[in-house]
Amino acid sequence: MAVILCLAGGVRSQPGPSPDSAMEKMKLHQDYLGALADLEQLLKAPNPSPVIYYLAGVCQTSLRNYPEAVGNFRKALDKGLDSWELRLSLGVAYLRMGRDPDARRELELVLQLRPEEPTALFHLGELDLKEGRYPAAERNFRKVLRLNPGHENILFNLGTSLLRQGKEAEGQAVLRNHRRRAHLRGRLKTLRWMSASPRASAEVFADLGDANLEIGDERAALDAYARAERLQPNTHLTGFGRGKLSFRRGHLFDAGTHLRRYLDRGGRNCEAFLLMALVERRNQRHREAWDAAVTGLNACPQYPGLLSTAARLEMERGNLEQTGALADRIMRADPADPSGPFIKALSLLYRKRLRDAEPMARRALELNDQDPKHHKLLEQIYQSSGAFDKARFHGAKARELAGKTRR
């Protein structure tokens, strides 16, 4: 709504109801009835601004008065106001009324104006799912998931679209991820309640820190870890979380120190083993990285991240048969993880088995077509097999995506 808010900020009126007062009620107090009353007063003035019609439509959408919302959005358009925000609001209102063709028209127009607008992509995916266009739904939901990895409705809808295409293993894996996130929300609520007790233990605060870290709230995680460490100085319980934060920030020495503190005193989190192996690998300590990966796999034999790291280490050691076997284990453990088919394809390419490498590389691309290394791999395969047009296409796509990443 950024463009509309800027426009609204430029509309002024005499004392009494104003766009600003309506916006305050909408944004600060979520008082849509009060905001709508102010806006309806403004609409009685001669030649009201199209922004007022738009804001009235927003209020009516929030109040589920969809036909009235559509009427006001259309009046805003008729009076010359047009933006992707207005088109998106109109598309959502049509969707809620069951006017699917009108909703699709508006949502597709939004994507012409703003190609990666996640809300438009999500609702188009909903329409595709409803209409049985499951591959199209999958594509739209995957795009949203890349833009917003924590969007739980996307995980549920993506899993459903996969199951309805017969992609049973991958669909079930996505739905398990959805259930895990829902479980995390409940766990976080319980831990917050437990931490409010004056008798809360260091273990509670360490767990609270880990849960906050998993949802991306680093400040809350650090506060919880500090509480745990005050209650139990030199505890190993915060080592995993602090190590993970240090790793994210590129502080490899600190990450290694915290992770060793955790693992050496009995910590068994699978991700901690993975991070320890990655720290050692980035420090060029390949023997130590391999030992950390093997120790982790003994504790977590189906953990895809550890399998992937072990496979890459085997590849660096020239053990391509073992690399391929580990890639097979990744695909069995998590069919939705593109690293499995990618590593398998790479191991086959290095063994000159181009015909077998191509379908694996294309599978990795299906799972994530925005990763430049997936296109680069296909470029290498097609170049080696003499399919030069295909090689040029994927080479150009790899460079385009790599450029976007750098920006």
Side-chain angles (χ1 to χ4, degrees):
M1 201 188 289
V3 173
I4 300 299
L5 297 189
C6 291
L7 287 170
V11 180
R12 293 288 181 265
S13 65
Q14 299 301 319
S18 70
D20 287 342
S21 69
M23 288 296 299
E24 183 175 351
K25 289 176 180 177
M26 291 165 64
K27 298 292 286 182
L28 297 181
H29 308 296
Q30 296 191 348
D31 178 10
Y32 295 104
L33 277 173
L36 184 59
D38 287 354
L39 293 165
E40 287 177 339
Q41 282 293 108
L42 294 169
L43 288 174
K44 293 177 182 178
N47 195 29
S49 163
V51 174
I52 308 302
Y53 285 106
Y54 170 78
L55 294 175
V58 171
C59 287
Q60 287 159 333
T61 300
S62 298
L63 295 168
R64 303 185 181 184
N65 299 327
Y66 302 120
E68 293 87 345
V70 166
N72 277 311
F73 292 144
R74 299 298 322 174
K75 286 175 185 173
L77 282 168
D78 292 343
K79 292 176 77 66
L81 180 64
D82 200 354
S83 70
W84 69 265
E85 296 101 328
L86 174 52
R87 293 290 183 172
L88 178 60
S89 298
L90 183 56
V92 170
Y94 279 139
L95 187 68
R96 298 292 180 253
M97 293 171 67
R99 292 174 57 175
D100 293 351
D102 292 326
R104 181 176 291 279
R105 183 190 67 242
E106 297 300 330
L107 294 170
E108 289 176 346
L109 182 55
V110 171
L111 294 179
Q112 291 176 29
L113 299 170
R114 191 178 175 90
E116 292 198 331
E117 210 301 305
T119 305
L121 288 166
F122 173 69
H123 290 308
L124 276 174
E126 283 188 314
L127 285 171
D128 291 330
L129 196 57
K130 182 177 179 182
E131 295 166 7
R133 296 154 54 98
Y134 304 130
E138 178 190 348
R139 286 193 297 272
N140 281 319
F141 293 142
R142 285 196 188 279
K143 288 177 185 176
V144 182
L145 196 57
R146 284 194 292 272
L147 296 164
N148 184 0
H151 195 309
E152 289 177 18
N153 286 336
I154 285 295
L155 289 175
F156 180 79
N157 287 346
L158 174 58
T160 301
S161 69
L162 290 166
L163 290 177
R164 291 183 181 175
Q165 292 176 78
K167 300 178 180 180
E168 188 73 22
E170 188 181 354
Q172 292 294 351
V174 171
L175 291 176
R176 280 196 299 273
N177 190 14
H178 173 263
R179 289 193 292 272
R180 183 188 65 79
R181 289 176 181 274
H183 172 74
L184 177 62
R185 281 203 322 273
R187 178 169 163 248
L188 194 57
K189 183 177 179 181
T190 299
L191 287 168
R192 284 171 177 159
W193 174 76
M194 291 171 68
S195 69
S197 166
R199 300 179 64 184
S201 66
E203 287 85 353
V204 167
F205 285 105
D207 287 346
L208 178 61
D210 290 347
N212 277 310
L213 188 57
E214 197 166 345
I215 66 168
D217 191 342
E218 294 184 1
R219 172 47 52 196
L222 286 170
D223 288 345
Y225 293 147
R227 292 282 298 276
E229 290 157 357
R230 285 198 296 273
L231 288 168
Q232 190 175 322
N234 302 316
T235 179
H236 76 288
L237 297 171
T238 59
F240 164 60
R242 288 197 179 277
K244 186 175 180 177
L245 272 172
S246 296
F247 184 83
R248 282 182 183 175
R249 295 168 180 179
H251 303 155
L252 296 183
F253 179 82
D254 291 340
T257 300
H258 289 304
L259 291 166
R260 286 188 197 94
R261 170 165 60 94
Y262 173 77
L263 293 170
D264 288 350
R265 293 174 61 185
R268 305 287 286 175
N269 184 290
C270 297
E271 191 178 0
F273 289 113
L274 169 61
L275 292 174
M276 192 73 252
L278 293 175
V279 166
E280 300 290 22
R281 186 174 180 230
R282 292 190 186 183
N283 283 326
Q284 303 296 310
R285 290 157 50 92
H286 296 289
R287 177 66 192 181
E288 290 80 0
W290 175 250
D291 289 344
V294 169
T295 302
L297 284 174
N298 287 335
C300 310
Q302 299 300 313
Y303 192 63
L306 276 167
L307 289 166
S308 176
T309 298
R312 292 173 193 276
L313 289 166
E314 285 281 35
M315 187 177 296
E316 290 167 4
R317 290 151 58 127
N319 299 329
L320 297 179
E321 288 281 357
Q322 292 91 327
T323 300
L326 285 164
D328 290 335
R329 287 175 61 182
I330 296 168
M331 289 186 281
R332 289 194 296 271
D334 186 358
D337 185 344
S339 71
F342 174 80
I343 293 170
K344 182 75 172 184
L346 203 55
S347 71
L348 291 166
L349 172 64
Y350 290 157
R351 291 153 66 193
K352 310 298 183 186
R353 292 174 53 184
L354 302 178
R355 186 173 295 178
D356 296 326
E358 182 191 353
M360 285 289 108
R362 296 206 68 84
R363 178 60 179 150
L365 188 70
E366 271 181 38
L367 293 170
N368 184 356
D369 63 2
Q370 298 300 298
D371 190 329
K373 72 175 181 289
H374 295 168
H375 289 280
K376 186 67 178 174
L377 176 57
L378 278 165
E379 179 192 20
Q380 292 175 285
I381 291 170
Y382 288 132
Q383 190 76 35
S384 299
S385 63
F388 299 117
D389 286 344
K390 290 181 178 179
R392 280 192 291 273
F393 170 80
H394 286 287
K397 192 67 178 177
R399 289 188 292 276
E400 175 193 333
L401 292 170
K404 285 182 180 178
T405 301
R406 284 193 294 272
R407 290 197 294 274

mmCIF file of all heavy atoms in Angstrom, residues 69 95 130 177 189 221 313 338 375 394:
data_model
loop_
_atom_site.group_PDB
_atom_site.id
_atom_site.type_symbol
_atom_site.label_atom_id
_atom_site.label_comp_id
_atom_site.label_asym_id
_atom_site.label_seq_id
_atom_site.Cartn_x
_atom_site.Cartn_y
_atom_site.Cartn_z
ATOM 1 N N ALA A 69 -16.733 -2.898 -1.537
ATOM 2 C CA ALA A 69 -15.306 -2.656 -1.765
ATOM 3 C C ALA A 69 -15.012 -2.567 -3.255
ATOM 4 O O ALA A 69 -14.321 -1.643 -3.713
ATOM 5 C CB ALA A 69 -14.475 -3.772 -1.133
ATOM 6 N N LEU A 95 -11.847 -12.232 -5.618
ATOM 7 C CA LEU A 95 -11.596 -13.606 -5.182
ATOM 8 C C LEU A 95 -12.528 -13.986 -4.040
ATOM 9 O O LEU A 95 -13.116 -15.075 -4.025
ATOM 10 C CB LEU A 95 -10.134 -13.733 -4.754
ATOM 11 C CG LEU A 95 -9.623 -15.126 -4.421
ATOM 12 C CD1 LEU A 95 -9.564 -15.992 -5.682
ATOM 13 C CD2 LEU A 95 -8.232 -15.038 -3.790
ATOM 14 N N LYS A 130 -7.591 -24.410 -7.133
ATOM 15 C CA LYS A 130 -9.048 -24.559 -7.178
ATOM 16 C C LYS A 130 -9.512 -25.082 -8.539
ATOM 17 O O LYS A 130 -10.455 -25.873 -8.634
ATOM 18 C CB LYS A 130 -9.690 -23.199 -6.886
ATOM 19 C CG LYS A 130 -11.197 -23.188 -6.855
ATOM 20 C CD LYS A 130 -11.675 -21.779 -6.489
ATOM 21 C CE LYS A 130 -13.194 -21.674 -6.456
ATOM 22 N NZ LYS A 130 -13.626 -20.286 -6.142
ATOM 23 N N ASN A 177 7.002 -30.351 6.906
ATOM 24 C CA ASN A 177 7.622 -29.068 7.234
ATOM 25 C C ASN A 177 6.569 -28.089 7.745
ATOM 26 O O ASN A 177 6.798 -27.351 8.708
ATOM 27 C CB ASN A 177 8.331 -28.504 6.003
ATOM 28 C CG ASN A 177 9.203 -27.309 6.322
ATOM 29 O OD1 ASN A 177 9.510 -27.029 7.488
ATOM 30 N ND2 ASN A 177 9.606 -26.589 5.308
ATOM 31 N N LYS A 189 4.936 -20.539 22.296
ATOM 32 C CA LYS A 189 3.928 -20.014 23.220
ATOM 33 C C LYS A 189 4.095 -20.631 24.612
ATOM 34 O O LYS A 189 4.050 -19.931 25.638
ATOM 35 C CB LYS A 189 2.530 -20.311 22.677
ATOM 36 C CG LYS A 189 1.402 -19.749 23.510
ATOM 37 C CD LYS A 189 0.050 -20.032 22.846
ATOM 38 C CE LYS A 189 -1.098 -19.492 23.685
ATOM 39 N NZ LYS A 189 -2.409 -19.786 23.057
ATOM 40 N N ALA A 221 16.359 -14.113 20.908
ATOM 41 C CA ALA A 221 17.185 -15.293 21.169
ATOM 42 C C ALA A 221 18.369 -14.935 22.058
ATOM 43 O O ALA A 221 18.658 -15.631 23.046
ATOM 44 C CB ALA A 221 17.669 -15.891 19.849
ATOM 45 N N LEU A 313 32.240 -33.320 0.508
ATOM 46 C CA LEU A 313 33.586 -33.648 0.978
ATOM 47 C C LEU A 313 34.130 -34.891 0.259
ATOM 48 O O LEU A 313 35.313 -34.941 -0.107
ATOM 49 C CB LEU A 313 33.575 -33.876 2.491
ATOM 50 C CG LEU A 313 33.375 -32.609 3.340
ATOM 51 C CD1 LEU A 313 33.032 -32.970 4.778
ATOM 52 C CD2 LEU A 313 34.622 -31.721 3.293
ATOM 53 N N PRO A 338 16.776 -29.918 -3.311
ATOM 54 C CA PRO A 338 17.429 -29.985 -4.625
ATOM 55 C C PRO A 338 18.881 -30.420 -4.565
ATOM 56 O O PRO A 338 19.464 -30.778 -5.590
ATOM 57 C CB PRO A 338 17.312 -28.547 -5.162
ATOM 58 C CG PRO A 338 17.125 -27.696 -3.962
ATOM 59 C CD PRO A 338 16.401 -28.535 -2.951
ATOM 60 N N HIS A 375 21.453 -24.021 -13.319
ATOM 61 C CA HIS A 375 21.555 -23.733 -14.755
ATOM 62 C C HIS A 375 22.985 -23.950 -15.252
ATOM 63 O O HIS A 375 23.197 -24.427 -16.373
ATOM 64 C CB HIS A 375 21.110 -22.292 -15.023
ATOM 65 C CG HIS A 375 19.645 -22.081 -14.870
ATOM 66 N ND1 HIS A 375 18.738 -22.427 -15.856
ATOM 67 C CD2 HIS A 375 18.915 -21.567 -13.849
ATOM 68 C CE1 HIS A 375 17.518 -22.130 -15.459
ATOM 69 N NE2 HIS A 375 17.591 -21.604 -14.244
ATOM 70 N N HIS A 394 21.021 -22.066 -20.943
ATOM 71 C CA HIS A 394 21.224 -22.215 -19.495
ATOM 72 C C HIS A 394 22.418 -21.400 -19.009
ATOM 73 O O HIS A 394 22.413 -20.905 -17.872
ATOM 74 C CB HIS A 394 21.369 -23.694 -19.134
ATOM 75 C CG HIS A 394 20.077 -24.435 -19.190
ATOM 76 N ND1 HIS A 394 19.081 -24.282 -18.256
ATOM 77 C CD2 HIS A 394 19.597 -25.306 -20.121
ATOM 78 C CE1 HIS A 394 18.052 -25.041 -18.579
ATOM 79 N NE2 HIS A 394 18.327 -25.670 -19.699
#
